[in-house]
Amino acid sequence: MKLEGTTVAMITPFTTSDEVDEEGMRENINYLMDNGVEGLLAAGTTGESATITHQEQRKMMDILVDEVKGRVKAIAGAGSNSSKEALGLVQYAEDAGADAALVITPYYNKPQPHGLYEHYRMLNDSTNIPIIVYNVPSRTGTDIDVDTIGQVAQLENVVAIKEASPDMDKVSQEIQIIRKIGLEDKFQVISGNDNLTLPMISQGARGVISVVANVDPERMSRMVRMALEGDFAGAMDLHYELYDLMKVLFVESNPVPAKESLNIIGRPAGHVRMPLAPLRDENREKIVKVLKNLELL
């Protein structure tokens, strides 16, 4: 499976009674597909995977696959800091019919490089679903190193890494090692930072798993397509159109600003679960200004 273009790291909409809003989730899925994205990720970290239950996570996988119906890539968030729990989620994603499972590097444990390799090797050997590694050291406390990425990329079912490290030199090293071992057609590097997507594509990345695309899927997916087609001048124009949105959506902990943005423009989102708290009023004003400038409000 080639993971290219824009995949949306979807928020999880909640009802006022703090249940997963199935109707709202289905509405968001169709809205995002109608606006040109190539993939949808449910129950990832932007989907508040840290505070949804495994039962809710599995329900969201089922909703995603059922509503997408093969029209775009359906990707299931299936990571955990427990390898045993991650395996159960990856197996469920496979049984549910997801196109791939996104598996974050185990957080808090701070596994050694060979521990990370064994984690992904075990998942690879126990399932047949394509696996996407997710590296986000600012949230997990673990940064998977380039040599380990090269090893993990050689596992049969591991097809990509969502790289959310801000180290652009590391991105070059990752792509270089993938090219050296001849896996560039099998394994893709995907941006995990909206604001670094354009420069990462210029280095050889093949797309983004995006928070911004929750709010402006049409412009974000168009920017990525233009960059992948080599129109960097046009993509740069869109990058700077979206730049203020890229920044303001991280003015507080993700996904607080993203969910508030969707609430403001009238899309299903609802509250964030504790210990996240509602957005501060001064930051809401910043978001409103950006949304107005983009004519989203």
Side-chain angles (χ1 to χ4, degrees), residues 37-88:
V37 305
E38 286 79 22
L40 296 171
L41 164 67
T45 51
T46 298
E48 298 177 75
S49 58
T51 50
I52 59 175
T53 67
H54 287 170
Q55 181 179 356
E56 290 172 325
Q57 198 164 357
R58 292 190 290 268
K59 175 183 177 180
M60 291 167 66
M61 294 181 196
D62 290 333
I63 294 169
L64 177 69
V65 172
D66 179 67
E67 194 64 35
V68 165
K69 294 182 173 64
R71 290 175 286 174
V72 299
K73 293 288 191 297
I75 301 170
S80 172
N81 67 330
S82 161
S83 296
K84 183 177 181 180
E85 287 185 358
L87 176 59

Side-chain angles (χ1 to χ4, degrees), residues 98-153:
D99 293 302
L102 181 78
V103 181
I104 195 168
T105 55
Y107 41 88
Y108 184 78
N109 314 63
K110 299 188 79 170
Q112 319 95 304
H114 58 280
L116 285 171
Y117 174 77
E118 290 299 329
H119 175 75
Y120 288 107
R121 187 184 68 80
M122 182 270 289
L123 298 176
N124 175 85
D125 293 351
S126 303
T127 61
N128 292 310
I129 189 172
I131 294 169
I132 304 161
V133 177
Y134 180 19
N135 186 49
V136 55
S138 65
R139 301 293 287 257
T140 64
T142 298
D143 188 3
I144 185 168
D145 64 66
V146 173
D147 288 340
T148 305
I149 291 168
Q151 292 178 306
V152 170

